[in-house]
Amino acid sequence: MLITLIICLYKLGLSLMSFVLYIVFLLIHILGAHYLYSYVPYNEWSIQYLNLDLNQSLGWTRNMYDRFVHLAYGLLLYPFFYRVFQVWLPQLSKLTLFLLVIQFVMASSLIYEWIEWLIAMGLSPEDAENYNGQQGDMWDAHKDMLLATVGSIITGIIYLFKS
């Protein structure tokens, strides 16, 4: 992925910020993959280093790292997707690109959730729960897709109003 990203940096004229945000997203994924997304000890780190129980302060009863990753998908990858569409479809206005990128984030989130579901269908119930990270929330996929969409809207609005 890093090699592809470096090629995109030069071939698509990605900004350094887009490149760095993509790398941050990859690092967030690496951390999640290391611990399994539902078990990343962010709250323990928050307590240890900030003396703040994040889960208790925000009223969370589950590990929210996987939700953070979905939000980060929209927030951090919007600039990359925007540039890709800008290169492929140079005639589009900023508003059209804004809407296209948001739709792309929504569609790719849906496809990811479908793939996750299909893989989980072939696993034992315990392995499926660990893989999916639903943590008992039947609306997990919907919330994940919503967070990715909200993340892309936030970054997209910033893009709309910057010079």
Side-chain angles (χ1 to χ4, degrees), residues 94 157-163:
K94 284 178 79 169
I157 289 171
I158 293 168
Y159 259 62
L160 273 177
F161 292 108
K162 82 174 197 180
S163 59

Side-chain angles (χ1 to χ4, degrees), residues 77-159:
L77 296 190
Y78 182 96
F80 175 80
F81 298 143
Y82 186 90
R83 183 61 186 153
V84 169
F85 286 123
Q86 195 177 42
V87 168
W88 286 348
L89 304 164
Q91 73 279 10
L92 297 181
S93 69
K94 284 178 79 169
L95 180 60
T96 304
L97 284 169
F98 166 75
L99 295 171
L100 184 62
V101 173
I102 290 170
Q103 289 175 346
F104 179 79
V105 167
M106 293 171 76
S108 58
S109 295
L110 174 65
I111 291 167
Y112 174 81
E113 294 296 335
W114 282 347
I115 292 169
E116 192 176 68
W117 171 73
L118 285 170
I119 291 170
M121 293 297 289
L123 300 173
S124 71
E126 181 181 307
D127 288 339
E129 177 63 30
N130 286 333
Y131 173 74
N132 258 353
Q134 285 183 313
Q135 302 176 63
D137 184 358
M138 67 183 267
W139 299 104
D140 181 68
H142 303 79
K143 292 174 184 175
D144 290 347
M145 290 183 291
L146 176 64
L147 283 169
T149 303
V150 168
S152 67
I153 290 170
I154 290 168
T155 303
I157 289 171
I158 293 168
Y159 259 62

